[in-house]
Amino acid sequence: MEHLHQSFTVQYNYNVFFTSSLFLPENELLNSFLVNLNPAVAVKKILFVIDEGVANAHKELNNQIKAYFAKYPQTQLVQDLLIIPGGEQVKNDTKYFDQVLEAINIHGIDRHSFVAAIGGGAVLDMVGYAATVAHRGIKHIRIPSTVLSQNDSGVGVKNGINYFNKKNFLGTFSPPVAVFNDEVFLSTLSDRDWRSGIAEAIKVALIKDREFFEWLEANATALAQRDITAMNYQIWKCAKLHLEHIRSADPFENGSARPLDFGHWSAHKLEYLTNFEVRHGEAVAMGIALDAVYSNLSGRISADDAQRVITLIQQLGFELTHPLLQVTEGNSPILQGLEEFREHLGGELTITLLTGLGSGEEVHEIDANILKQAAEILNNQTAIIQH
Protein backbone atom coordinates (compact mmCIF):
# COMPACT_ATOMS: atom_id res chain seq x y z
CA MET A 1 0.00 0.00 0.00
CA GLU A 2 1.19 3.50 -0.76
CA HIS A 3 1.47 5.85 2.16
CA LEU A 4 2.64 9.33 3.02
CA HIS A 5 5.13 9.92 5.80
CA GLN A 6 5.73 13.11 7.70
CA SER A 7 8.38 13.95 10.25
CA PHE A 8 9.36 17.28 11.75
CA THR A 9 11.04 18.74 14.79
CA VAL A 10 9.85 21.68 16.85
CA GLN A 11 12.49 23.55 18.80
CA TYR A 12 11.64 25.10 22.15
CA ASN A 13 13.62 27.90 23.77
CA TYR A 14 12.97 29.65 27.05
CA ASN A 15 14.96 31.41 29.75
CA VAL A 16 14.70 31.22 33.51
CA PHE A 17 15.54 34.68 34.85
CA PHE A 18 16.62 35.37 38.44
CA THR A 19 15.84 38.83 39.75
CA SER A 20 14.63 40.91 42.69
CA SER A 21 11.62 43.26 42.62
CA LEU A 22 10.48 42.39 39.11
CA PHE A 23 7.85 45.14 39.01
CA LEU A 24 9.96 48.06 40.21
CA PRO A 25 9.86 50.66 37.41
CA GLU A 26 13.66 50.75 37.21
CA ASN A 27 13.79 46.97 36.63
CA GLU A 28 13.53 46.77 32.83
CA LEU A 29 13.91 42.97 32.65
CA LEU A 30 10.25 42.06 32.03
CA ASN A 31 9.59 44.90 29.60
CA SER A 32 12.73 44.15 27.62
CA PHE A 33 11.68 40.51 27.28
CA LEU A 34 8.13 41.34 26.16
CA VAL A 35 9.21 43.94 23.63
CA ASN A 36 11.95 41.83 22.08
CA LEU A 37 9.84 38.68 21.68
CA ASN A 38 8.30 38.92 18.19
CA PRO A 39 9.04 42.66 17.82
CA ALA A 40 7.18 42.78 14.48
CA VAL A 41 3.84 42.22 16.23
CA ALA A 42 2.17 45.63 16.55
CA VAL A 43 -0.24 44.91 19.39
CA LYS A 44 0.55 42.63 22.33
CA LYS A 45 -1.58 42.22 25.42
CA ILE A 46 -0.76 40.66 28.75
CA LEU A 47 -3.25 39.15 31.18
CA PHE A 48 -2.13 38.52 34.76
CA VAL A 49 -3.55 35.73 36.89
CA ILE A 50 -2.45 36.03 40.51
CA ASP A 51 -2.50 33.58 43.40
CA GLU A 52 -4.76 35.00 46.11
CA GLY A 53 -2.20 34.17 48.78
CA VAL A 54 0.42 36.22 46.94
CA ALA A 55 -1.99 39.12 46.47
CA ASN A 56 -2.80 39.12 50.19
CA ALA A 57 0.85 38.95 51.23
CA HIS A 58 1.93 41.67 48.79
CA LYS A 59 -0.82 44.30 49.07
CA GLU A 60 0.81 46.70 46.61
CA LEU A 61 1.36 44.12 43.88
CA ASN A 62 -1.74 45.08 41.90
CA ASN A 63 -0.77 48.76 41.84
CA GLN A 64 2.88 47.92 41.15
CA ILE A 65 1.96 45.92 38.05
CA LYS A 66 -0.29 48.72 36.77
CA ALA A 67 2.37 51.36 37.40
CA TYR A 68 4.99 49.21 35.67
CA PHE A 69 2.99 48.92 32.47
CA ALA A 70 2.03 52.58 32.65
CA LYS A 71 5.75 53.30 32.36
CA TYR A 72 6.25 50.62 29.69
CA PRO A 73 3.07 50.82 27.55
CA GLN A 74 4.54 48.92 24.61
CA THR A 75 2.62 45.93 25.96
CA GLN A 76 -1.06 46.52 26.75
CA LEU A 77 -1.93 45.43 30.28
CA VAL A 78 -5.38 43.97 30.86
CA GLN A 79 -6.43 46.16 33.78
CA ASP A 80 -8.64 43.50 35.31
CA LEU A 81 -6.05 41.39 37.10
CA LEU A 82 -7.62 37.99 37.83
CA ILE A 83 -7.18 36.81 41.43
CA ILE A 84 -7.76 33.12 42.10
CA PRO A 85 -7.19 30.86 45.12
CA GLY A 86 -3.84 29.14 45.52
CA GLY A 87 -3.12 25.58 46.51
CA GLU A 88 -4.42 22.33 45.13
CA GLN A 89 -8.06 23.45 45.20
CA VAL A 90 -7.39 25.53 42.09
CA LYS A 91 -6.53 22.33 40.22
CA ASN A 92 -9.39 20.30 41.74
CA ASP A 93 -12.29 22.59 40.81
CA THR A 94 -12.66 23.32 37.09
CA LYS A 95 -14.45 26.63 37.75
CA TYR A 96 -11.08 28.33 38.15
CA PHE A 97 -9.88 26.88 34.86
CA ASP A 98 -13.07 28.22 33.28
CA GLN A 99 -12.46 31.67 34.81
CA VAL A 100 -9.06 31.90 33.12
CA LEU A 101 -10.50 30.81 29.76
CA GLU A 102 -13.31 33.34 30.13
CA ALA A 103 -10.81 36.14 30.81
CA ILE A 104 -8.75 35.09 27.77
CA ASN A 105 -11.91 35.23 25.66
CA ILE A 106 -13.33 38.50 27.02
CA HIS A 107 -10.07 40.41 26.76
CA GLY A 108 -9.09 39.12 23.34
CA ILE A 109 -5.86 37.43 24.33
CA ASP A 110 -4.54 35.94 21.10
CA ARG A 111 -1.53 33.80 20.21
CA HIS A 112 0.72 36.87 19.99
CA SER A 113 -0.24 37.95 23.52
CA PHE A 114 0.63 36.62 26.95
CA VAL A 115 -0.96 35.04 29.99
CA ALA A 116 1.28 35.60 33.02
CA ALA A 117 0.70 33.60 36.19
CA ILE A 118 2.07 34.70 39.56
CA GLY A 119 1.80 32.07 42.27
CA GLY A 120 2.69 28.67 43.58
CA GLY A 121 2.99 25.51 41.54
CA ALA A 122 -0.71 24.68 41.54
CA VAL A 123 -1.67 28.05 40.08
CA LEU A 124 1.11 27.84 37.51
CA ASP A 125 -0.02 24.34 36.53
CA MET A 126 -3.65 25.34 36.03
CA VAL A 127 -3.03 28.66 34.27
CA GLY A 128 -0.43 27.05 32.02
CA TYR A 129 -2.96 24.38 31.05
CA ALA A 130 -5.62 27.00 30.26
CA ALA A 131 -3.15 29.01 28.19
CA THR A 132 -1.99 26.04 26.15
CA VAL A 133 -5.48 24.83 25.24
CA ALA A 134 -6.94 28.28 24.44
CA HIS A 135 -6.52 29.05 20.73
CA ARG A 136 -4.32 25.92 20.61
CA GLY A 137 -1.64 27.73 22.54
CA ILE A 138 -1.16 31.19 24.01
CA LYS A 139 2.26 32.25 25.23
CA HIS A 140 2.41 31.77 28.97
CA ILE A 141 4.82 33.35 31.42
CA ARG A 142 5.50 31.88 34.84
CA ILE A 143 6.37 34.02 37.85
CA PRO A 144 6.74 31.44 40.64
CA SER A 145 6.18 32.66 44.18
CA THR A 146 7.29 29.66 46.26
CA VAL A 147 10.51 27.74 46.73
CA LEU A 148 8.86 24.65 45.26
CA SER A 149 7.77 26.40 42.09
CA GLN A 150 10.98 28.39 41.64
CA ASN A 151 13.27 25.38 41.85
CA ASP A 152 11.08 22.65 40.35
CA SER A 153 7.60 22.80 38.83
CA GLY A 154 7.80 26.37 37.58
CA VAL A 155 10.87 25.77 35.41
CA GLY A 156 9.58 22.61 33.70
CA VAL A 157 7.39 21.92 30.69
CA LYS A 158 4.29 20.41 32.29
CA ASN A 159 0.86 21.94 32.95
CA GLY A 160 -2.29 20.34 34.25
CA ILE A 161 -5.29 20.01 36.52
CA ASN A 162 -6.61 17.17 38.64
CA TYR A 163 -9.57 15.14 37.39
CA PHE A 164 -11.37 11.97 38.45
CA ASN A 165 -9.62 12.43 41.81
CA LYS A 166 -6.29 11.80 40.07
CA LYS A 167 -3.41 14.23 40.15
CA ASN A 168 -2.67 15.88 36.78
CA PHE A 169 -5.07 13.61 34.89
CA LEU A 170 -5.62 16.43 32.39
CA GLY A 171 -2.59 18.31 31.16
CA THR A 172 -0.19 19.35 28.45
CA PHE A 173 3.50 19.43 27.74
CA SER A 174 4.08 23.05 26.78
CA PRO A 175 7.05 25.11 27.94
CA PRO A 176 6.53 28.70 29.06
CA VAL A 177 8.08 31.43 26.95
CA ALA A 178 9.94 32.56 30.08
CA VAL A 179 10.18 32.08 33.83
CA PHE A 180 10.94 34.98 36.19
CA ASN A 181 12.14 33.93 39.65
CA ASP A 182 11.79 36.93 41.97
CA GLU A 183 13.32 36.45 45.41
CA VAL A 184 10.99 39.08 46.93
CA PHE A 185 8.07 36.65 46.83
CA LEU A 186 9.95 34.24 49.11
CA SER A 187 10.14 36.78 51.93
CA THR A 188 6.49 36.33 52.92
CA LEU A 189 6.35 32.53 52.82
CA SER A 190 5.47 30.68 56.00
CA ASP A 191 8.24 28.54 57.47
CA ARG A 192 6.28 25.51 56.31
CA ASP A 193 6.16 26.66 52.68
CA TRP A 194 9.77 27.88 52.77
CA ARG A 195 10.88 24.41 53.84
CA SER A 196 8.53 22.44 51.61
CA GLY A 197 10.26 23.25 48.35
CA ILE A 198 13.65 22.07 49.56
CA ALA A 199 12.38 18.47 49.26
CA GLU A 200 12.69 18.77 45.49
CA ALA A 201 16.32 19.84 45.89
CA ILE A 202 17.02 16.71 47.94
CA LYS A 203 15.34 14.65 45.22
CA VAL A 204 17.27 16.02 42.28
CA ALA A 205 20.56 15.95 44.21
CA LEU A 206 20.09 12.29 45.14
CA ILE A 207 19.52 11.18 41.56
CA LYS A 208 21.76 13.64 39.74
CA ASP A 209 24.51 15.28 41.79
CA ARG A 210 26.28 13.93 44.87
CA GLU A 211 28.21 17.19 45.30
CA PHE A 212 24.93 19.11 45.51
CA PHE A 213 23.63 16.63 48.09
CA GLU A 214 26.74 17.26 50.18
CA TRP A 215 26.17 21.02 49.81
CA LEU A 216 22.63 20.53 51.14
CA GLU A 217 24.04 18.62 54.11
CA ALA A 218 26.52 21.42 54.84
CA ASN A 219 23.89 24.15 54.48
CA ALA A 220 20.86 22.45 56.05
CA THR A 221 20.92 24.72 59.10
CA ALA A 222 21.23 27.89 57.01
CA LEU A 223 18.35 26.79 54.79
CA ALA A 224 16.17 25.91 57.77
CA GLN A 225 16.92 29.31 59.31
CA ARG A 226 15.81 31.15 56.14
CA ASP A 227 19.20 32.32 54.92
CA ILE A 228 18.30 33.96 51.59
CA THR A 229 21.79 33.57 50.11
CA ALA A 230 21.71 29.82 50.69
CA MET A 231 18.16 29.62 49.40
CA ASN A 232 18.97 31.55 46.22
CA TYR A 233 21.82 29.16 45.44
CA GLN A 234 19.66 26.13 46.19
CA ILE A 235 16.97 27.42 43.81
CA TRP A 236 19.47 28.25 41.06
CA LYS A 237 21.25 24.88 41.31
CA CYS A 238 18.04 22.89 41.47
CA ALA A 239 16.56 24.76 38.50
CA LYS A 240 19.77 24.19 36.54
CA LEU A 241 19.68 20.44 37.15
CA HIS A 242 16.03 20.28 36.12
CA LEU A 243 16.67 22.18 32.90
CA GLU A 244 19.63 19.95 32.07
CA HIS A 245 17.44 16.88 32.57
CA ILE A 246 14.69 18.28 30.35
CA ARG A 247 17.19 19.03 27.57
CA SER A 248 19.07 15.74 27.67
CA ALA A 249 16.40 13.16 28.45
CA ASP A 250 12.72 12.72 27.58
CA PRO A 251 11.08 16.15 28.06
CA PHE A 252 7.59 15.10 26.96
CA GLU A 253 7.79 11.78 28.82
CA ASN A 254 7.12 9.44 25.91
CA GLY A 255 8.73 6.59 27.83
CA SER A 256 7.90 5.16 31.24
CA ALA A 257 11.06 6.32 33.02
CA ARG A 258 10.62 9.37 35.24
CA PRO A 259 13.76 9.87 37.34
CA LEU A 260 12.55 13.32 38.40
CA ASP A 261 9.62 11.55 40.07
CA PHE A 262 11.94 9.87 42.58
CA GLY A 263 10.06 9.76 45.88
CA HIS A 264 6.83 10.83 44.19
CA TRP A 265 4.85 7.64 43.70
CA SER A 266 3.82 7.51 47.35
CA ALA A 267 3.80 11.30 47.71
CA HIS A 268 1.06 11.76 45.11
CA LYS A 269 -1.15 9.18 46.79
CA LEU A 270 -0.51 10.61 50.26
CA GLU A 271 -1.52 14.08 49.12
CA TYR A 272 -4.89 12.78 47.97
CA LEU A 273 -5.43 10.55 51.01
CA THR A 274 -4.95 13.57 53.30
CA ASN A 275 -7.07 15.84 51.10
CA PHE A 276 -3.88 17.83 50.49
CA GLU A 277 -3.44 18.69 54.16
CA VAL A 278 0.06 17.33 53.64
CA ARG A 279 1.88 19.74 51.32
CA HIS A 280 3.46 18.39 48.14
CA GLY A 281 7.00 19.02 49.38
CA GLU A 282 6.23 17.42 52.74
CA ALA A 283 4.83 14.35 51.00
CA VAL A 284 7.87 14.19 48.71
CA ALA A 285 10.21 14.32 51.72
CA MET A 286 8.36 11.33 53.21
CA GLY A 287 8.44 9.57 49.83
CA ILE A 288 12.19 10.14 49.55
CA ALA A 289 12.69 8.74 53.06
CA LEU A 290 10.61 5.67 52.21
CA ASP A 291 12.41 4.98 48.94
CA ALA A 292 15.84 5.62 50.49
CA VAL A 293 15.22 3.06 53.24
CA TYR A 294 13.75 0.66 50.66
CA SER A 295 16.89 1.16 48.55
CA ASN A 296 18.97 0.11 51.55
CA LEU A 297 16.83 -2.88 52.52
CA SER A 298 16.88 -4.12 48.92
CA GLY A 299 20.67 -4.02 48.89
CA ARG A 300 21.20 -0.99 46.65
CA ILE A 301 22.74 1.51 49.07
CA SER A 302 24.49 1.24 52.40
CA ALA A 303 22.85 1.84 55.74
CA ASP A 304 25.15 4.83 56.23
CA ASP A 305 24.00 6.45 52.99
CA ALA A 306 20.34 5.85 53.83
CA GLN A 307 20.91 7.36 57.26
CA ARG A 308 22.48 10.45 55.71
CA VAL A 309 19.32 10.97 53.65
CA ILE A 310 17.13 10.57 56.73
CA THR A 311 19.31 12.91 58.79
CA LEU A 312 19.17 15.64 56.14
CA ILE A 313 15.39 15.37 55.91
CA GLN A 314 15.12 15.72 59.68
CA GLN A 315 17.59 18.61 59.87
CA LEU A 316 15.43 20.56 57.46
CA GLY A 317 12.44 20.03 59.73
CA PHE A 318 10.43 17.48 57.77
CA GLU A 319 8.45 14.59 59.20
CA LEU A 320 9.74 11.20 58.06
CA THR A 321 6.45 9.40 57.56
CA HIS A 322 2.68 9.45 57.98
CA PRO A 323 0.24 6.82 59.30
CA LEU A 324 -1.23 6.46 55.80
CA LEU A 325 2.17 5.36 54.49
CA GLN A 326 2.13 2.25 56.64
CA VAL A 327 1.62 -1.08 54.87
CA THR A 328 -0.73 -3.09 57.08
CA GLU A 329 -2.28 -5.46 54.59
CA GLY A 330 -2.41 -6.26 50.90
CA ASN A 331 -4.91 -3.54 50.10
CA SER A 332 -3.26 -0.73 52.04
CA PRO A 333 -4.12 2.60 50.39
CA ILE A 334 -0.50 3.41 49.67
CA LEU A 335 -0.11 0.19 47.65
CA GLN A 336 -2.94 1.37 45.44
CA GLY A 337 -0.71 4.32 44.63
CA LEU A 338 1.67 1.99 42.81
CA GLU A 339 -0.99 1.01 40.27
CA GLU A 340 -2.13 4.60 39.87
CA PHE A 341 1.47 5.67 39.31
CA ARG A 342 1.90 2.96 36.66
CA GLU A 343 -1.25 4.18 34.93
CA HIS A 344 -0.01 7.77 35.06
CA LEU A 345 3.26 6.69 33.43
CA GLY A 346 1.32 5.12 30.57
CA GLY A 347 3.29 1.88 30.53
CA GLU A 348 4.94 -0.52 32.88
CA LEU A 349 5.60 0.50 36.46
CA THR A 350 8.94 2.31 36.58
CA ILE A 351 10.29 3.64 39.85
CA THR A 352 13.72 5.12 40.48
CA LEU A 353 15.59 3.75 43.48
CA LEU A 354 18.99 4.88 44.73
CA THR A 355 22.23 3.11 43.91
CA GLY A 356 24.25 5.81 45.63
CA LEU A 357 24.08 9.42 46.78
CA GLY A 358 23.76 11.02 43.37
CA SER A 359 22.78 8.00 41.28
CA GLY A 360 19.80 5.75 40.76
CA GLU A 361 18.36 2.92 38.74
CA GLU A 362 14.93 2.07 37.38
CA VAL A 363 12.99 -0.87 38.80
CA HIS A 364 9.70 -2.28 37.61
CA GLU A 365 8.32 -3.86 40.75
CA ILE A 366 8.21 -3.14 44.46
CA ASP A 367 8.32 -5.90 47.08
CA ALA A 368 5.43 -5.26 49.49
CA ASN A 369 7.21 -7.01 52.37
CA ILE A 370 10.32 -4.85 52.03
CA LEU A 371 8.13 -1.77 51.66
CA LYS A 372 6.32 -2.72 54.86
CA GLN A 373 9.63 -3.07 56.69
CA ALA A 374 10.86 0.29 55.38
CA ALA A 375 7.66 1.99 56.49
CA GLU A 376 7.93 0.44 59.95
CA ILE A 377 11.53 1.61 60.35
CA LEU A 378 10.51 5.18 59.57
CA ASN A 379 7.42 4.98 61.77
CA ASN A 380 9.48 3.80 64.74
CA GLN A 381 12.46 6.00 63.78
CA THR A 382 14.71 3.08 64.51
CA ALA A 383 18.23 2.73 63.21
CA ILE A 384 18.58 1.59 59.63
CA ILE A 385 20.05 -1.91 59.58
CA GLN A 386 21.77 -3.34 56.51
CA HIS A 387 19.49 -6.00 55.02
Side-chain angles (χ1 to χ4, degrees):
M1 296 290 291
E2 292 185 0
H3 71 281
L4 299 173
H5 175 72
Q6 175 66 281
S7 176
F8 62 91
T9 300
V10 178
Q11 183 174 356
Y12 293 92
N13 296 284
Y14 65 98
N15 291 316
V16 178
F17 298 100
F18 298 86
T19 189
S20 183
S21 301
L22 180 65
F23 297 107
L24 280 183
E26 55 267 31
N27 189 339
E28 298 183 9
L29 176 63
L30 178 58
N31 178 65
S32 176
F33 169 80
L34 294 172
V35 169
N36 290 319
L37 191 69
N38 295 338
V41 177
V43 178
K44 300 177 185 176
K45 299 178 183 179
I46 186 167
L47 167 70
F48 277 87
V49 184
I50 305 175
D51 187 316
E52 185 177 34
V54 176
N56 290 338
H58 299 267
K59 299 293 186 182
E60 295 302 312
L61 181 60
N62 191 309
N63 291 332
Q64 287 174 346
I65 293 173
K66 291 181 177 180
Y68 188 89
F69 285 93
K71 179 176 180 179
Y72 301 108
Q74 298 96 322
T75 305
Q76 296 180 9
L77 172 69
V78 173
Q79 294 293 313
D80 295 330
L81 280 66
L82 179 58
I83 311 296
I84 59 174
E88 207 69 18
Q89 63 176 317
V90 83
K91 294 175 64 174
N92 288 334
D93 193 331
T94 56
K95 72 179 181 182
Y96 304 114
F97 169 72
D98 291 338
Q99 284 178 13
V100 177
L101 292 179
E102 183 178 22
I104 289 171
N105 180 50
I106 289 173
H107 298 293
I109 305 299
D110 59 27
R111 298 181 71 182
H112 295 295
S113 296
F114 305 90
V115 175
I118 305 177
V123 168
L124 301 184
D125 277 357
M126 186 279 288
V127 176
Y129 179 51
T132 55
V133 297
H135 297 303
R136 296 195 179 99
I138 294 171
K139 297 177 178 65
H140 66 288
I141 293 171
R142 296 181 185 151
I143 306 175
S145 64
T146 64
V147 174
L148 182 62
S149 55
Q150 288 195 7
N151 72 1
D152 185 87
S153 59
V155 304
V157 300
K158 295 188 284 189
N159 313 279
I161 60 175
N162 306 328
Y163 213 71
F164 297 133
N165 290 321
K166 294 179 180 179
K167 192 173 178 71
N168 300 322
F169 184 84
L170 296 178
T172 60
F173 291 102
S174 179
V177 292
V179 180
F180 294 88
N181 279 344
D182 185 347
E183 69 175 15
V184 167
F185 289 120
L186 306 182
S187 64
T188 56
L189 293 177
S190 67
D191 288 345
R192 189 179 180 189
D193 286 327
W194 171 281
R195 176 176 60 246
S196 184
I198 306 174
E200 297 290 354
I202 301 172
K203 172 205 73 177
V204 74
L206 281 171
I207 61 173
K208 294 282 186 182
D209 193 324
R210 182 186 180 97
E211 184 178 337
F212 184 37
F213 178 81
E214 292 170 346
W215 182 91
L216 289 170
E217 287 182 308
N219 290 272
T221 299
L223 289 168
Q225 293 178 351
R226 300 184 68 118
D227 182 287
I228 190 60
T229 301
M231 180 56 78
N232 280 339
Y233 177 77
Q234 181 271 128
I235 287 172
W236 177 86
K237 180 66 173 181
C238 199
K240 181 175 184 290
L241 289 170
H242 275 78
L243 290 175
E244 288 174 352
H245 175 83
I246 290 168
R247 181 186 69 246
S248 63
D250 181 17
F252 287 4
E253 297 180 353
N254 291 313
S256 294
R258 306 280 164 76
L260 289 184
D261 277 344
F262 170 65
H264 279 58
W265 72 267
S266 57
H268 286 170
K269 186 63 177 178
L270 180 60
E271 287 179 85
Y272 262 106
L273 290 173
T274 64
N275 195 28
F276 297 96
E277 291 180 6
V278 174
R279 302 275 210 280
H280 178 71
E282 294 167 341
V284 168
M286 296 178 197
I288 290 171
L290 183 63
D291 286 353
V293 176
Y294 186 101
S295 296
N296 164 246
L297 295 177
S298 60
R300 291 176 169 86
I301 63 173
S302 69
D304 287 343
D305 281 351
Q307 189 61 59
R308 286 175 66 180
V309 176
I310 300 307
T311 298
L312 175 59
I313 290 171
Q314 290 179 309
Q315 286 177 333
L316 290 167
F318 290 109
E319 297 292 333
L320 291 179
T321 191
H322 189 281
L324 290 171
L325 287 177
Q326 299 305 301
V327 181
T328 56
E329 53 188 52
N331 62 349
S332 291
I334 200 60
L335 291 177
Q336 298 170 14
L338 284 170
E339 173 56 25
E340 292 176 8
F341 193 68
R342 183 210 60 76
E343 180 183 328
H344 182 65
L345 295 174
E348 66 179 336
L349 177 67
T350 304
I351 289 176
T352 299
L353 294 176
L354 298 179
T355 56
L357 300 178
S359 62
E361 68 174 1
E362 297 165 9
V363 302
H364 303 295
E365 61 181 1
I366 293 292
D367 187 309
N369 290 326
I370 297 178
L371 187 67
K372 181 176 186 294
Q373 186 180 353
E376 289 173 349
I377 287 173
L378 291 170
N379 187 53
N380 297 326
Q381 297 194 27
T382 54
I384 298 170
I385 301 172
Q386 183 69 47
H387 184 66

